[in-house]
């Protein structure tokens, strides 16, 4: 093959690879929190206290991290779209863990057994801390 | 002793009433939508919180920016890292008041238009927002829906010229919350 053909071939391969990577990046899937190993594991009470004591410092430590917390269930709610939310530590400014409806539907038996006072271990992504909800964990799953 | 019990009963009743005067929501739906000829961008948060003080009409709504879900993971990343800088400014908070609060009969079913005015803080910038919301009270739930428009420039969110055409100039922010 002539040299020019080789150059063309390499160029085409390069373009295809580049295009492929760009397409992959553009369509890359959301991170699956349930299958991600927790960055840190601690009692829910301790996590909430960190945020109450120093929110800025706690944000640096925990924001966007996958966190596993254990604690006593205070309440559980489902909204009209089937999402579930459990509250730990205390009703206001405690810890709120949100479960996607797909997860709730897939674990109905487990959700049925939940009641205030039950000890649970939950893993989710920490979105931050705010009024009322307190520490907010999202995309949660139960650790058993 | 009788006086004591009487006083306690009054305090207890007051306390109950005060608790009842706060309507709360922990799983509010807040979403935004921006359309351009190139593409539409929308993102939803279903874990926003809100409190309405029935007596004063004071309202606080908070949303954590990391809780906004986009269809594409890459957009979500760009939103957090490049635009709202959610590591530095993790939440958006609206603090305001229902101006015509006296017209809203919280104790019975009914539909009202609430005129709301207050401050929205996002990306370290606070801006005055005035808008109207629909307040629909049914049994024990106050369903509040509303919409207002902001621009990224209002909140010092810089859009690089390279992607300027892909990001809407006006962003509609919608809320749909059930207060109990």
């Amino acid at each position: 093959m002539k040299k020019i053909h080789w150059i063309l071939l390499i160029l085409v391969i390069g373009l295809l690879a580049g295009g492929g990577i760009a397409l992959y990046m553009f369509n890359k899937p959301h991170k699956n929190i349930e299958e991600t190993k927790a960055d840190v594991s601690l009692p829910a009470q301790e996590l909430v206290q960190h945020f109450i004591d120093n929110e800025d410092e706690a944000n640096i430590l925990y924001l966007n991290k996958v966190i596993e917390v254990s604690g006593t269930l205070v309440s559980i709610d489902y909204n009209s779209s089937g999402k579930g939310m459990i509250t730990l530590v205390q009703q206001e400014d405690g810890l709120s863990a949100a479960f996607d409806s797909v997860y709730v539907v897939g674990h109905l038996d487990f959700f049925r057994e939940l009641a205030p006072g039950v000890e649970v271990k939950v893993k989710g992504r920490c979105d931050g801390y705010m009024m009322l909800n307190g520490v907010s964990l999202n995309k949660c799953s139960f650790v058993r | 002793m009788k006086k004591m019990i009487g006083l306690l009963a009054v305090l207890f009743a007051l306390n109950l009433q005060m608790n009842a005067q706060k309507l709360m929501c922990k799983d509010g739906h807040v979403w935004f939508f921006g359309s351009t000829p190139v593409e539409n961008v929308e993102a939803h948060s279903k874990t926003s919180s809100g409190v309405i003080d029935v007596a004063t009409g004071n309202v606080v709504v908070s949303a954590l920016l990391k809780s906004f879900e986009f269809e594409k993971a890459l957009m979500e990343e760009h939103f957090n890292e490049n635009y709202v800088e959610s590591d530095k400014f993790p939440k958006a908070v609206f603090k305001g008041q229902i101006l015509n609060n006296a017209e809203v009969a919280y104790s019975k079913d009914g539909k009202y238009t609430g005129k709301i005015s207050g401050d929205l803080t996002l990306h370290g910038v606070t801006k005055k927002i005035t808008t109207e919301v629909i307040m629909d009270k049914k049994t024990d739930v106050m369903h509040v829906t509303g919409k207002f428009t902001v621009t990224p420039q209002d909140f010092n969110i810089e859009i690089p010229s390279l992607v300027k055409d892909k990001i809407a100039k006006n962003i509609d922010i919608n809320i749909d919350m059930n207060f109990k």
Side-chain angles (χ1 to χ4, degrees):
Chain A
M1 234 197 283
K2 276 183 193 162
K3 203 176 167 189
I4 186 87
H5 285 153
W6 280 109
I7 292 168
L8 270 174
L9 188 69
I10 289 166
L11 257 171
V12 168
I13 291 171
L15 276 175
L16 281 176
I21 291 168
L23 200 67
Y24 171 76
M25 286 296 287
F26 188 65
N27 287 306
K28 76 172 175 178
H30 287 273
K31 193 173 173 183
N32 186 330
I33 306 291
E34 193 184 348
E35 285 168 12
T36 307
K37 201 176 166 289
D39 295 306
V40 55
S41 177
L42 76 172
Q45 173 75 53
E46 208 174 293
L47 182 64
V48 171
Q49 199 58 47
H50 274 206
F51 275 95
I52 291 170
D53 291 344
N54 191 336
E55 192 180 337
D56 291 338
E57 198 183 279
N59 274 330
I60 293 168
L61 279 175
Y62 302 117
L63 214 57
N64 223 15
K65 295 267 174 18
V66 177
I67 302 180
E68 204 176 273
V69 294
S70 46
T72 312
L73 196 135
V74 175
S75 66
I76 176 152
D77 281 292
Y78 303 96
N79 73 7
S80 50
S81 60
K83 279 182 81 118
M85 185 183 270
I86 62 168
T87 302
L88 303 183
V89 186
Q90 56 199 13
Q91 187 58 33
E92 291 179 30
D93 305 331
L95 181 142
S96 301
F99 299 82
D100 284 343
S101 51
V102 178
Y103 185 86
V104 175
V105 169
H107 300 79
L108 278 182
D109 288 341
F110 191 78
F111 276 91
R112 272 196 204 105
E113 281 169 27
L114 291 177
V118 169
E119 290 293 320
V120 289
K121 202 169 195 185
V122 186
K123 182 171 76 174
R125 181 192 67 207
C126 181
D127 284 349
Y129 180 84
M130 63 180 173
M131 166 204 74
L132 194 60
N133 291 35
V135 180
S136 187
L137 297 188
N138 214 336
K139 308 265 150 209
C140 289
S141 55
F142 287 107
V143 182
R144 280 176 274 181
Chain B
M1 191 63 194
K2 258 185 185 166
K3 259 188 191 165
M4 266 293 263
I5 292 170
L7 187 68
L8 276 176
V10 168
L11 281 176
F12 186 66
L14 269 176
N15 187 35
L16 274 184
Q17 206 185 0
M18 268 164 72
N19 279 335
Q21 281 173 340
K22 234 166 60 174
L23 293 175
M24 296 183 275
C25 170
K26 280 188 172 184
D27 54 1
H29 183 190
V30 174
W31 73 103
F32 61 82
F33 183 83
S35 74
T36 69
V38 188
E39 62 186 332
N40 294 334
V41 174
E42 64 175 290
H44 300 258
S45 163
K46 290 179 178 164
T47 56
S48 298
S49 72
V51 176
I52 301 174
D53 186 322
V54 171
T56 60
N58 286 334
V59 180
V60 184
V61 174
S62 311
L64 292 167
L65 294 161
K66 287 197 194 292
S67 70
F68 281 92
E69 291 173 29
F70 290 70
E71 191 197 334
K72 294 210 185 304
L74 190 68
M75 278 186 192
E76 200 168 299
E77 235 174 74
H78 286 173
F79 170 76
N80 279 293
E81 289 168 11
N82 305 346
Y83 300 129
V84 294
E85 299 178 85
S86 60
D87 281 336
K88 233 158 95 191
F89 310 106
K91 56 193 156 190
V93 179
F94 174 82
K95 274 186 190 165
Q97 198 178 23
I98 303 166
L99 302 173
N100 56 337
N101 193 50
E103 292 167 23
V104 183
Y106 287 93
S107 53
K108 54 182 185 195
D109 288 6
K111 210 168 176 176
Y112 309 91
T113 301
K115 295 184 179 70
I116 294 191
S117 181
D119 294 322
L120 175 64
T121 305
L122 169 67
H123 197 239
V125 180
T126 300
K127 199 144 196 310
K128 194 150 192 84
I129 302 280
T130 302
T131 186
E132 283 184 357
V133 294
I134 302 293
M135 302 173 75
D136 193 2
K137 172 86 197 299
K138 251 187 215 134
T139 58
D140 60 343
V141 177
M142 176 65 92
H143 183 206
V144 179
T145 49
K147 180 171 135 179
F148 57 93
T149 305
V150 296
T151 72
Q153 286 79 12
D154 286 345
F155 296 95
N156 278 351
I157 296 170
E158 277 176 49
I159 312 290
S161 52
L162 194 67
V163 292
K164 221 162 203 156
D165 299 335
K166 291 175 86 176
I167 303 210
K169 289 196 175 57
N170 296 307
I171 314 265
D172 288 334
I173 298 183
N174 299 272
I175 64 154
D176 185 336
M177 304 177 90
N178 285 313
F179 289 88
K180 277 178 224 172

